[in-house]
Amino acid sequence: MVYRRIIMDNKMEKRYGLPTAISMVIGIVIGSGVFIKGGKVLSLTGGNLLQGIAVVGIVGLICIICSLVFATLGSKYEKVNGVVDYAELALGPKYAYYVGWFMTTIYTPALAAMLAFFSSMMFLQLFGIAAIDFATGQVNPTAIGVGAGFLMLGYGVNALSPRIAGKLQVGMTVIKLIPLILMGVVGTIAGLANGATLDVLNYVNSPEYVAVDGSGFFKAIVGFAFAYEGWILATSINAELKDSKKNLPRALVIGALVTIVIYALYIWAMSIVGDVNTIIATWPFGESLPRVAFSTLFGNVVGTIVYVFITISCLGTMNGLIMASCRNMYSISIRGMGPRPEFFGHIDSQNNFAIKSSVLGMMLAGFWYAWTVMMWMGGPGLFGSVHGSEWFAWEPDEIGIICLYLMYIPMMIGLMAKAKDLNPVKRFVLPALGVLCCLFFCYAIWVGYGWKQCTGFLIFFAAVMFIGWLFERFRVKKAAGHKT
C-alpha cells in the first residue's frame, strides 16, 4: 500500500508565529558554507571584493525567488514536509520517487561526506596541519582518517540516539552564528578604521591585479550556492505555521535578506587581512582564511578560540545532513516505493528510529567520502594531483546542489500547469522567474566547470537513476506476482 502524506487526516498544530519562523529560516540556511566557500569566492574573483559581494547577492536573490515558489506550493497544500512532498504534489508519486532516490543516493550523503572532510580540514588547521599539499597534490592521510572518524561518529550518534543528535544540532546552530556576527560587525568596523578594507578595494587598480574571466565568476556563484543550501528545508515548517499563506513568504524573504546581510558583512570583513595575495593563496578551499582573518583582528589566542567555533559549525552542518540522510530511504519506503520498502521502512522498537535506513545512509556516505578524497581530490598517489581527470573532477557537493535545482524546474512548471486557482503572479510570474534562476545556475556550472565535468556527472546521474528505476520495476513486478 502506497503511503501518501498529502492525504493524511492528522494535522500538525499551528504553533509558530512569524518571529519564530524567521528564526528557523535563518538557523536552517546559515551554516558552515560561508566559512568554507568564502575564501574560495574571493580567490575565484581574483581578490575583487566587490565581485565577491555581488556573488553573495546574486545567489541570495536566486534562493529568495525559488523559495517563494515553494512557499506558494507549501501554503496551498499545508501538509507537505520537504522537497519529496513538493515533487509529489507538483508531478505525482513517480517523480517524487526519483527526487527522493536522488536525495538518498547522491545529494545528502555526498554533502555529508564533503562536510566530514571539510570539518577535518578545519580541525587540523587548529594544529597547523595542512589537509592537502597543493604543491604535490597529495591528500594528508591524517585528514582522511579524521574526516572518516567524524562521519562514522555522526551516523553512529544519529542512528543510536537521535534525541541526542537533535540536541547537538540546536547547540551547534547557536554556536555557528557567533563567529559570523562577531567577524561581520567588528571586522567591518576595524577594516574601515585601519584602512585594510580600502587596500583590498584598491587592489583592482594596482598593477598586480589580473582580472579573472567569466568562468571564475560563475565558479564562485556555483560554489557559494552551498552556503545558502537548506532553504528548501525551511519551507517545510508551513504545516505548523500560523497564517502560513502570509507568514511563510514573509519569513522566507526576511530570513533570506538577513542571511544575505550577514554573509555580505562576513565576506567584506575578510578584507581585514589587508593583503589580497594572502586571500588568494587560500585557494581552492579557503579553509585557512577565517583563522588568518580572526587572528589578524583579535590576536592568535582569540582567533584560535573563534576558529574552534567555526570547526564546531562545520560539524553541526554535517550532523544536520546526516540527520536527513538517516531518514531518506525511510521516506521513500513509507510511500511503498523503492528497494524492499517493508525492510527499509522498519522502525526499530528499542530506539523508535529507522536503523536500517540509517545504515544504508552511512554506507552511501562512505562511498561518497571515498570518491571525494580519492577521486575528486586525487588521493595519496592515486591520480597525483587535484582534479586529475576532468571527467571525474566534478565537486560532489556543488554539482549535486545544481542538479537539485535542475530537478526543481519540472516542479515549477507543474505548479504553473495545475494551480488554476492562484493569481497570475503566484501561478506564472514567480514560477517563471524560478525556472530562469534554476537555468542560470545550470548555465553557471556549465561555463564555470566546463562540459566534460558536467557531462561526466550527468552520465553518473543517469546510471544512478536507472538503478532506481530497476528497483522500482522489480518491486512492481513482485507486487503484481503476489496479487496473482
Side-chain angles (χ1 to χ4, degrees):
M1 180 178 177
V2 178
Y3 175 90
R4 298 289 300 279
R5 187 185 297 273
I6 57 174
I7 60 173
M8 286 178 62
D9 293 328
N10 296 327
K11 293 184 179 181
M12 300 287 281
E13 177 188 351
K14 298 288 187 178
R15 68 190 81 192
Y16 299 129
L18 181 60
T20 303
I22 294 171
S23 300
M24 290 176 71
V25 171
I26 294 172
I28 291 171
V29 174
I30 292 181
S32 61
V34 67
F35 302 124
I36 297 167
K37 303 294 184 179
K40 185 174 183 177
V41 166
L42 291 173
S43 299
L44 285 169
T45 54
N48 190 320
L49 185 60
L50 293 181
Q51 282 192 13
I53 300 298
V55 167
V56 175
I58 290 171
V59 179
L61 179 61
I62 290 173
C63 292
I64 288 176
I65 292 172
C66 291
S67 64
L68 285 176
V69 177
F70 284 95
T72 300
L73 191 59
S75 59
K76 183 176 173 61
Y77 305 100
E78 294 191 352
K79 294 179 183 178
V80 296
N81 185 26
V83 65
V84 177
D85 287 329
Y86 286 116
E88 186 171 4
L89 285 168
L91 295 169
K94 288 186 178 180
Y95 189 72
Y97 166 69
Y98 288 108
V99 172
W101 182 253
F102 167 74
M103 299 286 286
T104 300
T105 57
I106 299 178
Y107 179 83
T108 311
L111 262 66
M114 291 293 288
L115 259 299
F117 189 77
F118 285 144
S119 298
S120 173
M121 294 174 70
M122 295 288 188
F123 178 75
L124 292 177
Q125 274 290 320
L126 292 170
F127 305 97
I129 301 173
I132 301 176
D133 182 357
F134 289 102
T136 62
Q138 298 295 299
V139 182
N140 189 334
T142 302
I144 295 175
V146 171
F150 284 155
L151 192 65
M152 288 187 291
L153 182 63
Y155 273 96
V157 172
N158 275 272
L160 299 177
S161 185
R163 187 168 295 180
I164 293 177
K167 291 180 179 180
L168 286 173
Q169 190 63 23
V170 173
M172 290 174 175
T173 297
V174 175
I175 287 173
K176 69 186 176 185
L177 293 174
I178 295 174
L180 276 172
I181 296 174
L182 181 66
M183 191 66 188
V185 176
V186 180
T188 297
I189 295 172
L192 292 173
N194 64 18
T197 299
L198 186 61
D199 290 340
V200 172
L201 287 172
N202 286 334
Y203 177 73
V204 295
N205 300 316
S206 70
E208 296 179 68
Y209 176 66
V210 178
V212 297
D213 58 19
S215 64
F217 185 74
F218 285 120
K219 277 185 180 180
I221 288 175
V222 171
F224 206 69
F226 182 90
Y228 284 98
E229 197 57 16
W231 61 263
I232 187 65
L233 302 177
T235 62
S236 65
I237 65 174
N238 65 295
E240 303 166 77
L241 190 59
K242 298 175 183 176
D243 195 8
S244 62
K245 292 185 178 181
K246 292 182 179 179
N247 284 335
L248 183 59
R250 290 173 182 169
L252 288 166
V253 172
I254 295 172
L257 289 174
V258 171
T259 302
I260 291 172
V261 171
I262 291 176
Y263 280 174
L265 281 174
Y266 178 81
I267 297 292
W268 182 272
M270 289 297 102
S271 62
I272 192 67
V273 174
D275 181 13
V276 175
N277 290 319
T278 300
I279 295 174
I280 296 175
T282 63
W283 166 274
F285 295 113
E287 81 281 0
S288 61
L289 180 58
R291 186 177 190 180
V292 173
F294 277 101
S295 296
T296 300
L297 183 59
F298 300 107
N300 289 331
V301 175
V302 177
T304 300
I305 293 173
V306 174
Y307 201 76
V308 171
F309 281 35
I310 295 176
T311 304
I312 294 173
S313 171
C314 288
L315 289 169
T317 306
M318 180 197 73
N319 184 68
L321 288 163
I322 289 175
M323 290 176 72
S325 177
C326 288
R327 294 160 173 82
N328 276 342
M329 183 55 75
Y330 172 78
S331 70
I332 292 176
S333 298
I334 59 174
R335 287 175 164 82
M337 306 180 83
R340 300 189 63 186
E342 73 287 348
F343 180 81
F344 289 108
H346 176 260
I347 297 294
D348 183 75
S349 58
Q350 291 186 347
N351 64 353
N352 195 31
F353 193 65
I355 295 291
K356 295 170 183 176
S357 175
S358 301
V359 171
L360 179 65
M362 183 173 66
M363 293 171 64
L364 290 167
F367 165 82
W368 281 110
Y369 189 79
W371 179 285
T372 298
V373 300
M374 301 302 291
M375 298 192 73
W376 179 66
M377 293 181 180
L382 185 63
F383 286 119
S385 63
V386 178
H387 292 186
S389 171
E390 283 195 70
W391 292 97
F392 299 100
W394 34 272
E395 189 169 350
D397 62 327
E398 294 182 2
I399 202 164
I401 290 170
I402 303 306
C403 185
L404 184 59
Y405 277 90
L406 182 63
M407 300 182 83
Y408 290 156
I409 294 175
M411 297 159 63
M412 294 176 179
I413 295 173
L415 177 63
M416 288 190 280
K418 292 183 177 181
K420 297 180 180 180
D421 59 326
L422 295 176
N423 63 55
V425 173
K426 290 185 177 181
R427 183 182 177 186
F428 295 110
V429 177
L430 276 178
L433 289 174
V435 170
L436 291 175
C437 288
C438 294
L439 289 174
F440 174 76
F441 264 149
C442 295
Y443 173 78
I445 198 166
W446 187 270
V447 173
Y449 285 87
W451 69 272
K452 287 185 179 180
Q453 292 190 39
C454 294
T455 304
F457 173 77
L458 289 175
I459 293 172
F460 181 89
F461 171 80
V464 173
M465 292 298 105
F466 179 69
I467 293 172
W469 176 80
L470 288 176
F471 275 125
E472 183 60 12
R473 185 184 181 190
F474 176 78
R475 183 196 64 79
V476 171
K477 283 188 173 183
K478 184 178 179 181
H482 284 165
K483 288 181 181 179
T484 57

